[in-house]
Amino acid sequence: MKHRLPLSLLATYAAFATLAALAGTNLITGDGGRSSTPPDMARLNLVRAIYDSEGGMGEAYYAYDGRVWARWETDFPEGDDNFSHRLQQLTRIHVAPQASSRLLTAPDLGDFPMLYMSDPGYMVISEQERAAFESYLARGGFVWVDDFWGDAEWQQFANVMRTVLPNREWRVLTPEHPIFHTVFDLEEMPQIPALPFASPGGSTAESPGAHKFPAGSLDEPQMRAWLDDDGRIMVLATHNTDVGDGWEREAYGDWYFETFSTRSYMVGVNVVVYAMTH
């Protein structure tokens, strides 16, 4: 995840200047026009969900690599595009080569069977978005939420979900669940740290100081889910792990790729194939 890198004072000033210039606009900073790209109905389109976050710099937004990033776009589009490519390689699924992005209120949201959402530890939702999200799930949509760590970030997203699915509670999916064995056999939910936190022989848990307070324990990665009345997974959450960074950072050296990216792709393939067959 980019936003956890330390910022120089100059980068911080530049970030605030950029935000001031964009004040009052709908800041879809790294969309690159992908929110208006029509779906390829002959292929599986991987779609990043666009959402708003509360707070200011370091909360709703962060500065990295000379620009400002919104929380929703963490690891986008490189991570999503890399996963699209690998999913095409590792399965017989015909996948659109570039990931798209959509607001929850997009009129064509129902054309996409699944959405991927990242870094929702500061997420907020409007009534219009809540209704659209609820409708998408009720009609059979599947949402995968990734890359949020600790108690406070989990609670923020869980509070959002209580408004979307008020009569349902999440549950932990243990390694006995079929999603762990759909294509690859995974004995546990792997913990994938963002590249700056990864070191040979070191802990795979990220630092509590890099996440929303109170972080609590970040040691145990889990797969959690909200289910419908028939047991279908509507919303899947991979907590205390950063699967998307494993995709984005696959070219950042053999050690990270072999240690973490390979497991990130295993999780991703299992999730997509399970969602498409259930």
Side-chain angles (χ1 to χ4, degrees):
M1 290 180 59
K2 308 175 187 70
H3 62 285
R4 295 176 187 142
L5 297 178
L7 301 176
S8 68
L9 186 60
L10 180 61
T12 303
Y13 284 153
F16 275 113
T18 302
L19 283 176
L22 291 169
T25 67
N26 184 12
L27 185 59
I28 304 179
T29 56
D31 176 69
R34 296 192 182 199
S35 61
S36 59
T37 303
D40 181 348
M41 301 305 288
R43 296 172 181 264
L44 174 67
N45 297 267
L46 298 180
V47 183
R48 176 67 72 101
I50 302 171
Y51 63 88
D52 288 326
S53 295
E54 64 183 1
M57 179 56 62
E59 298 170 330
Y61 308 105
Y62 56 90
Y64 172 74
D65 199 22
R67 53 158 289 195
V68 176
W69 300 75
R71 285 277 173 185
W72 75 263
E73 60 176 322
T74 297
D75 303 326
F76 181 84
E78 290 85 357
D80 304 48
D81 288 349
N82 287 346
F83 180 50
S84 297
H85 175 68
R86 295 297 185 184
L87 185 62
Q88 175 86 32
Q89 284 186 324
L90 294 168
T91 70
R92 295 183 179 181
I93 302 171
H94 296 291
V95 186
Q98 283 194 333
S100 300
S101 60
R102 288 295 187 277
L103 293 163
L104 293 172
T105 53
D108 66 345
L109 195 69
D111 290 340
F112 304 100
M114 61 183 69
L115 305 176
Y116 177 76
M117 184 182 294
S118 182
D119 205 358
Y122 294 84
M123 181 180 179
V124 292
I125 194 169
S126 69
E127 174 55 30
Q128 186 180 13
E129 289 169 325
R130 185 210 64 75
F133 196 172
E134 180 183 22
S135 176
Y136 176 79
L137 296 174
R139 296 183 181 190
F142 176 93
V143 178
W144 177 11
V145 187
D146 179 49
D147 187 14
F148 54 131
W149 298 69
D151 296 342
E153 292 184 14
W154 172 260
Q155 194 61 49
Q156 183 84 12
F157 182 70
N159 287 342
V160 169
M161 288 308 304
R162 288 190 182 99
T163 70
V164 176
L165 298 173
N167 299 317
R168 300 186 186 277
E169 291 294 333
W170 58 272
R171 53 169 284 194
V172 175
L173 302 185
T174 65
E176 290 74 35
H177 192 278
I179 201 169
F180 285 87
H181 310 284
T182 306
V183 177
F184 298 102
D185 280 320
L186 299 174
E187 296 181 356
E188 61 184 1
M189 180 64 218
Q191 187 166 66
I192 311 297
L195 181 66
F197 295 95
S199 61
S203 172
T204 56
E206 295 189 357
S207 167
H211 295 279
K212 191 174 184 179
F213 180 83
S217 174
L218 285 70
D219 292 331
E220 184 181 2
Q222 284 189 334
M223 193 176 283
R224 301 172 176 178
W226 282 261
L227 312 179
D228 69 10
D229 290 340
D230 297 320
R232 179 185 73 87
I233 297 176
M234 294 186 288
V235 178
L236 180 77
T238 43
H239 181 240
N240 282 345
T241 191
D242 187 352
V243 175
D245 213 56
W247 304 337
E248 185 194 21
R249 307 288 191 160
E250 68 160 48
Y252 282 63
D254 291 345
W255 174 78
Y256 188 83
F257 178 82
E258 293 172 0
T259 306
F260 297 114
S261 293
T262 52
R263 282 185 262 177
S264 288
Y265 286 124
M266 289 178 183
V267 173
V269 168
N270 276 13
V271 168
V272 171
V273 172
Y274 181 87
M276 293 184 68
T277 54
H278 292 76

